[in-house]
Each structure stands twice: as C-alpha cells, then as structure tokens.
Amino acid sequence: MHLAYPAVLSVLLFCVGIYGVLARRNAILVLMSVELMLNAVNLNLVAFDVWLRDALHSGQALTLFTIAIAAAEIGIGLAIVLMVYRNRGTSDVDRLRDTAEGPDGTPDDPDTTAAVLRAQKAEATA
C-alpha cells in the first residue's frame, strides 16, 4: 500500500476539521470538528506505523492513547457545553464571553452584576 493515499485522506480530513473549527458557531459542531482533526492524526499514525513496519507498533499504541484522550475530551467538553447552554440559553461560540467580563468587556463587579440581575427581573415582572 502506498503511503500517499492515507496521507492525502488524512490531510483532507484535517483541513475539513480546521474549517469546521474556524467557521462554525455552534460549540457542539466545533467539538465534532476537533474530533475529526484527531481522527486525521490517528489515521496518519497508523499509516506510518504500517509503512515503517515497526516491530513494537508504537504508532498503533499511540493511536489507542489518542482515542482514549479524545473520548475524555468529548465527554468533558459536552458536559461544559450543556452547562453553558442551560445557564445562558445558547451554545453560540460568538455570543459566549468569559463570565468575568461585562457586556462592554470590562471586568464585572459582583455587586453590580447582582443589581443588574435584580433590575432585569423587575423589568420582566412589570
């Protein structure tokens, strides 16, 4: 088997993953694109392991390690995305900001944040 075929496929998968990370706004689709990039790396590791005829199969062992790390990453990442969606009502990456920042980008004061939340509740009930 030629090394060029899996290498080209791996490059294409990695490029699609990069496009997904850069162009998508939904956090779940960004996580899926990261997984696609990790799978492209796994394909490269296995292809080079077969091509080099490594006796220890270190490429395949590293691939198993990468798959375990990717599974943990997607589990933790999905839990974070779900908690952000529950708290903020959106998983749009562009609309999410650091919790320590206010709407204008300056750090929030906890007392000011509580006052703003009370004012919003008062407006909603009125």
Side-chain angles (χ1 to χ4, degrees):
M1 176 170 86
H2 295 287
L3 183 62
Y5 299 132
V8 168
L9 180 62
S10 176
V11 167
L12 290 175
L13 284 174
F14 197 82
C15 289
V16 169
I18 287 177
Y19 173 75
V21 167
L22 295 177
R24 298 295 177 186
R25 294 184 178 168
N26 190 345
I28 295 175
L29 292 177
V30 171
L31 286 174
M32 289 174 59
S33 298
V34 170
E35 289 294 321
L36 194 61
M37 290 166 47
L38 286 172
N39 284 330
V41 171
N42 288 340
L43 178 62
N44 248 347
L45 285 171
V46 171
F48 275 96
D49 183 58
V50 169
W51 184 65
L52 293 173
R53 294 186 177 105
D54 186 18
L56 296 176
H57 298 292
S58 57
Q60 293 178 17
L62 191 56
T63 297
L64 289 175
F65 180 70
T66 307
I67 289 171
I69 295 296
E73 175 257 333
I74 199 67
I76 292 171
L78 191 57
I80 290 171
V81 168
L82 288 175
M83 288 304 297
V84 167
Y85 182 77
R86 284 183 187 169
N87 290 334
R88 303 239 176 135
T90 184
S91 64
D92 188 5
V93 175
D94 291 336
R95 295 184 59 202
L96 298 178
R97 292 181 178 224
D98 190 12
T99 56
E101 289 182 357
D104 57 349
T106 59
D108 268 349
D109 188 21
D111 297 329
T112 308
T113 305
V116 169
L117 288 176
R118 276 188 246 117
Q120 287 176 350
K121 284 182 183 179
E123 288 176 7
T125 56

